[in-house]
Amino acid sequence: MTPAARPLRIGNASGFYGDRFDAMREMLTGGELDVLTGDYLAELTMLILGRDRLKDPRAGYARTFLRQLEECLGLAHERGVRIVANAGGLNPAGLADAVRQLADRLGIPVRVAHVEGDDLHSRYPDSLAAHAYLGGFGIAACLREGADIVVTGRVTDAALVTGPAAAHFGWGSGDHDRLAGAVVAGHVLECGAQATGGNYAFFHEFRESGGDLRHPGFPLAELHEDGTCVITKHPGTGGLVDVGTVTAQLLYETAGARYAGPDVTARLDTVRLTQDGPDRVRVEGVRGEAPPPTLKVGVNRLGGFRNEVAFVLTGLDIEAKASLVREQMTDALSKSLPAEVRWDLVRTDRPDAPTEETASALLRLVVRDRDQETVGRSLSGAAVELALASYPGFHVLAPPGKGSPYGVFEDVYVPHGAVDHVAVLHDGRRITVPPAPDTAVFDDVPQPPAPDPQPPLPDPQPPGPTRHAPLGLVAGARSGDKGGNANVGVWVRTDEAYRWLAHELTVDRFRQLIPESGQLKVTRHPLPALRALNFVVEGVLGEGVAAQHRFDPQAKALGEWLRSRHLDIPETLL
């Protein structure tokens, strides 16, 4: 095997800003690696970093990355492991300089490069942050020129893998199938322990069989020149890697069969997963198509100010108590009524409860307005003044504060040529990264390059006895957010179960099981090769996670709610 054809072992040490601090050291000491990646950015993170930079122009990057490097830079250098991370956030050049200063102080000779061009704030001057999602070829240019550490701003999560793979194997922009395989590998790795048993629907089965989920290892991919890979983890680490954990992560925060990005559009309906031994899942068959001619841009704006108070209602007459305090608060707020007022009564109480907590329900009041005073002092004063003048047992979980700013997130799209994608090398040279020469043209910019293929449904199961039971007895699910939309991926583990699921879990049935989706647009995407259905619920998260529109603002548990709902399931599947 020539060095260029040698498989690339690429691991992940972070799935979000605030992930396990010791993961970088664990990955560097746990086994062989060629490249270690870290994903620190999310829609909410960009807003947080934007607010940081308002206070200090030198800020805007993930500071924990620097602290991790202080402990691990020597290890990475000794072991020849290159590090690629999007921890640069809003200020990749600033982070690159900080890494160089750290390396000089530690006496470790490393070459640090960074990628820039994603910042489009000048196009959206009313935003707090506006960043295009770049692809992996800027990262590849840095690595080809000898960089040991590459930091980026807003790139796609999968670019952290496509970049090193393109550099290692010599792929070009036209290698669609190979790039698509790397995109799938990158999507599986990007969320860290979610691929190794974290947040996994069937976690209880693994624990009941003696498995240890207390400290899951982080995932890695053995990526081959043809774009196939094996997803695994370091020997002896906790958690598990099986077809189920990889399927769950493949469905996370996706939509239809086409998974479009700046480098390539990966066809998720072509992915084949097979167990390749303990904690090893082979991923093959991935086909790629040309990327769309536009780049997604995430625009974060300050939406206004938000405040909330949770009234605790205990014992008898819960509905009447809620009605009284709601009338009182509505009357008190009428002098300076917030633009948005939302009430939610959460019935956590139960009759004849053995503890006061289990005898109590929560009545949440959330207010929003452009004016901080309207949601701050007005709400606080109104709630506190009721302490001795409302329902029996009056108290709140915590007094409302002065109101905190919230953000809104919007997706917009720009042509590739609207960004200056540049690799800035360790010696100061700047390499311009051209956009993909071939794109799939379509009329409506935010849409995929072509309608998603609609595979034929399997034959329905023959009629037989059923039992009214939770969907989760036969199906797993994972859900997440994309701006104001949520996706819920549902999968089963046998062909027979998919025959039933594909006919039973229609859009209408989904709306029945998840009533808040009833008036929203819901799209179903079948993925038979994964025995899965993916549902996209548009607008359920309002203006995105930073707006805190609903109880579960990122829809993290929407899939688990769906699994808990009851429907008629064939007894043969139970």
Side-chain angles (χ1 to χ4, degrees):
M1 247 186 207
T2 64
R6 178 178 56 84
L8 182 70
R9 285 178 63 88
I10 184 165
N12 171 280
S14 176
F16 67 99
Y17 190 10
D19 208 346
R20 188 192 307 165
F21 185 86
D22 292 333
M24 184 179 288
R25 175 176 290 276
E26 292 168 8
M27 290 300 288
L28 288 170
T29 58
E32 292 184 8
L33 279 180
D34 298 305
V35 178
L36 184 60
T37 67
D39 181 7
Y40 293 79
L41 301 184
E43 293 167 5
L44 182 60
T45 314
M46 299 300 277
L47 180 68
I48 294 169
L49 295 176
R51 291 170 59 186
D52 287 348
R53 204 170 189 192
L54 284 177
K55 302 172 187 174
D56 180 0
R58 297 168 299 176
Y61 54 77
R63 296 184 182 276
T64 52
F65 176 71
L66 272 181
R67 300 209 317 270
Q68 288 173 304
L69 279 187
E70 184 149 14
E71 290 188 7
C72 298
L73 188 58
L75 270 173
H77 179 65
E78 291 168 9
R79 295 168 184 247
V81 178
R82 291 171 154 186
I83 295 176
V84 178
N86 62 13
L90 275 62
N91 189 9
L95 178 57
D97 286 341
V99 173
R100 293 186 189 101
Q101 292 169 18
L102 173 65
D104 289 344
R105 178 163 59 83
L106 297 176
I108 301 172
V110 294
R111 291 163 292 193
V112 183
H114 74 275
V115 177
E116 60 184 40
D118 59 300
D119 190 348
L120 297 183
H121 181 264
S122 61
R123 278 179 165 249
Y124 306 93
D126 63 332
S127 68
L128 189 60
H131 290 263
Y133 288 69
L134 302 180
F137 280 98
I139 297 170
C142 293
L143 294 172
R144 284 171 177 154
E145 294 295 325
D148 302 301
I149 297 176
V150 182
V151 295
T152 76
R154 179 74 276 186
V155 296
T156 66
D157 299 336
L160 301 175
V161 171
T162 61
H168 181 75
F169 296 117
W171 295 341
S173 58
D175 290 313
H176 293 152
D177 290 347
R178 292 175 171 86
L179 288 168
V183 163
V184 168
H187 182 56
V188 174
L189 297 186
E190 70 185 56
C191 288
Q194 276 197 171
T196 57
N199 303 349
Y200 183 47
F202 299 114
F203 75 99
H204 58 287
E205 295 179 3
F206 180 64
R207 283 169 57 85
E208 289 164 4
S209 67
D212 186 0
L213 271 177
R214 292 173 297 173
H215 197 78
F218 273 58
L220 64 92
E222 298 169 356
L223 191 59
H224 294 265
E225 196 277 337
D226 62 358
T228 64
C229 73
V230 171
I231 304 296
T232 184
K233 61 187 183 70
H234 283 325
T237 55
L240 76 155
V241 179
D242 67 10
V243 169
T245 66
V246 175
T247 298
Q249 180 54 28
L250 273 176
L251 295 172
Y252 182 63
E253 294 182 345
T254 60
R258 286 184 165 91
Y259 189 63
D263 296 325
V264 69
T265 294
R267 288 285 297 266
L268 299 182
D269 57 345
T270 63
V271 178
R272 297 199 307 273
L273 305 178
T274 53
Q275 200 71 36
D276 197 47
D279 292 320
R280 293 176 63 84
V281 171
R282 182 168 297 279
V283 184
E284 55 193 349
V286 186
R287 302 301 301 271
E289 299 171 340
T294 55
L295 296 176
K296 174 182 170 181
V297 180
V299 180
N300 288 276
R301 296 185 174 91
L302 286 177
F305 294 87
R306 176 187 184 278
N307 208 351
E308 72 172 273
V309 60
F311 300 93
V312 183
L313 315 174
T314 305
L316 304 177
D317 307 317
I318 294 294
E319 299 283 349
K321 290 171 179 173
S323 177
L324 172 59
V325 73
R326 181 167 179 169
E327 289 175 14
Q328 290 176 309
M329 287 297 296
T330 300
D331 189 52
L333 291 174
S334 63
K335 302 168 189 175
S336 181
L337 187 65
E340 182 182 344
V341 179
R342 176 167 175 162
W343 292 91
D344 290 294
L345 177 59
V346 185
R347 295 300 301 264
T348 51
D349 58 302
R350 65 188 70 169
D352 195 21
T355 66
E356 183 177 330
E357 187 172 6
T358 56
S360 300
L362 296 177
L363 178 65
R364 293 177 68 239
L365 167 60
V366 177
V367 296
R368 291 185 176 85
D369 199 275
R370 299 291 296 180
D371 177 51
Q372 187 172 20
E373 181 81 7
T374 299
V375 304
R377 189 173 302 171
S378 300
L379 177 67
S380 180
V384 171
E385 288 171 5
L386 290 179
L388 304 179
S390 189
Y391 60 86
F394 180 100
H395 67 286
V396 298
L397 287 184
K402 63 181 181 179
S404 57
Y406 71 90
V408 297
F409 178 86
E410 179 187 9
D411 285 348
V412 296
Y413 293 81
V414 298
H416 283 264
V419 305
D420 297 318
H421 190 176
V422 177
V424 184
L425 306 181
H426 59 281
D427 56 9
R429 285 181 294 141
R430 299 174 65 86
I431 298 177
T432 298
V433 181
D438 298 319
T439 61
V441 179
F442 46 93
D443 296 330
D444 189 3
V445 168
Q447 297 303 315
D452 271 353
Q454 292 297 313
L457 295 180
D459 292 335
Q461 275 208 328
T466 62
R467 188 194 317 165
H468 202 62
L471 173 63
L473 293 183
V474 295
R478 179 165 287 165
S479 55
D481 63 313
K482 278 295 181 185
N485 303 336
N487 92 291
V488 185
V490 185
W491 81 96
V492 289
R493 295 181 285 186
T494 67
D495 291 338
E496 285 302 297
Y498 184 69
R499 288 176 64 189
W500 169 77
L501 184 76
H503 290 274
E504 174 64 23
L505 195 55
T506 61
V507 167
D508 287 342
R509 177 74 76 218
F510 183 94
R511 286 196 171 109
Q512 291 172 10
L513 299 176
I514 306 294
E516 69 178 298
S517 70
Q519 303 304 312
L520 302 173
K521 181 179 179 182
V522 179
T523 306
R524 186 181 97 149
H525 301 276
L527 296 168
L530 299 175
R531 301 192 189 100
L533 304 173
N534 201 18
F535 294 86
V536 178
V537 187
E538 297 187 21
V540 68
L541 303 180
E543 294 176 292
V545 55
Q548 298 282 308
H549 177 73
R550 67 190 294 272
F551 168 68
D552 174 17
Q554 289 181 280
K556 295 290 189 182
L558 187 58
E560 285 302 294
W561 178 24
L562 178 66
R563 292 183 70 234
S564 75
R565 298 307 308 269
H566 289 225
L567 65 174
D568 295 327
I569 301 174
E571 288 188 354
T572 55
L573 302 181
L574 297 170

